[in-house]
Amino acid sequence: MYVPTAFAETDLSALDALIARDNFITLVTIDDGAPVISHLPVLYRRVDGAIELSGHWSRANPQSRHAGPALAIVHGPNAYVSPSWYPDEESASRVPTWNYAAAHLQGDLQTFSDDAALGALVGELTRLHESRVGSHWAYEHAREDLRRQLAGITGFRLVVTAVQLTFKLNQNHPVDNRQAVAAQLGQQASQSSRDVAELMRARMPSSPGED
């Protein structure tokens, strides 16, 4: 991923927040020179700098037979930025752009299919997402009818070896422009636009002269 220096993020807490916001990733592997892609919810763990993603495919998915090098793309919020929002629009000949946050996680992909590990994975994913929607369905490993359905999936772990974080939030602009853009995005109907505004405000200089 091309990451201009002005937009590079190195604080891994920013990655924590991106995945907490949206843990539905794009997983990319290569087969015979061509990319193979799946879109999947994952569990995320970061302990003492070690990062791991885990999830599962349908066993019918060809990617479920892949292992080795892989790339996970974490999609943060994104928003269009109009040049009309910049106070220096005319004097600096500003043009449209797009603000966004994203992460690329490269690593070693490992698969598993034992019932106990799959059951634990499904149970944890289910608890996470059921709580988010205010519901209460739970996977019960003791139920044979539910346990039998594990035969239809293959689990994976991605042990992450490299992280690239891009937070493109007008950092290459004067602070007046950044404040104006954040204010405009904060008024948009799109939740993604409002989320970008929050990221911009969090990275705004706290006092004059810090820009």
Side-chain angles (χ1 to χ4, degrees):
M1 175 168 60
Y2 170 59
V3 185
T5 302
F7 308 137
E9 176 63 71
T10 58
D11 185 351
L12 289 179
S13 66
L15 174 62
D16 300 343
L18 278 189
I19 298 185
R21 174 188 178 272
D22 186 354
N23 67 325
F24 195 75
I25 68 158
T26 300
L27 182 64
V28 184
T29 55
I30 301 296
D31 183 41
D32 197 24
V36 180
I37 300 168
S38 297
H39 304 281
L40 305 154
V42 293
L43 297 173
Y44 167 76
R45 292 181 179 84
R46 179 168 71 88
V47 179
D48 297 330
I51 298 172
E52 182 180 288
L53 303 180
S54 56
H56 64 81
W57 305 275
S58 162
R59 191 159 290 189
N61 185 335
Q63 197 177 55
S64 70
R65 294 180 288 281
H66 290 192
L71 169 68
I73 302 172
V74 181
H75 305 277
N78 66 89
Y80 173 76
V81 175
S82 169
S84 67
W85 297 344
Y86 298 129
D88 66 356
E89 171 199 356
E90 292 299 329
S91 61
S93 301
R94 298 298 185 186
V95 294
T97 192
W98 208 277
N99 281 0
Y100 65 92
H104 283 192
L105 310 181
Q106 297 180 58
D108 180 57
L109 188 66
Q110 306 164 359
T111 65
F112 59 92
S113 57
D114 57 290
D115 279 3
L118 287 173
L121 171 67
V122 171
E124 192 172 348
L125 275 169
T126 301
R127 284 190 295 274
L128 173 65
H129 291 286
E130 286 287 313
S131 66
R132 287 181 174 179
V133 300
S135 195
H136 59 273
W137 189 90
Y139 171 77
E140 299 175 53
H141 197 60
R143 283 182 50 177
E144 185 180 354
D145 58 335
L146 294 181
R147 195 169 62 251
R148 278 200 306 267
Q149 297 191 51
L150 298 176
I153 63 175
T154 299
F156 67 83
R157 299 182 188 91
L158 180 69
V159 179
V160 176
T161 56
V163 177
Q164 286 183 303
L165 287 166
T166 299
F167 279 63
K168 182 181 176 296
L169 303 169
N170 287 124
Q171 297 98 317
N172 56 335
H173 280 250
V175 69
D176 286 351
N177 281 3
R178 291 152 67 183
Q179 290 173 339
V181 169
Q184 290 288 341
L185 290 175
Q187 298 172 24
Q188 301 302 306
S190 162
Q191 182 62 53
S192 186
S193 294
R194 298 196 299 272
D195 288 348
V196 170
E198 285 301 310
L199 289 177
M200 294 183 69
R201 293 188 186 107
R203 287 161 173 76
M204 212 74 74
S206 57
S207 60
E210 289 188 10
D211 187 38

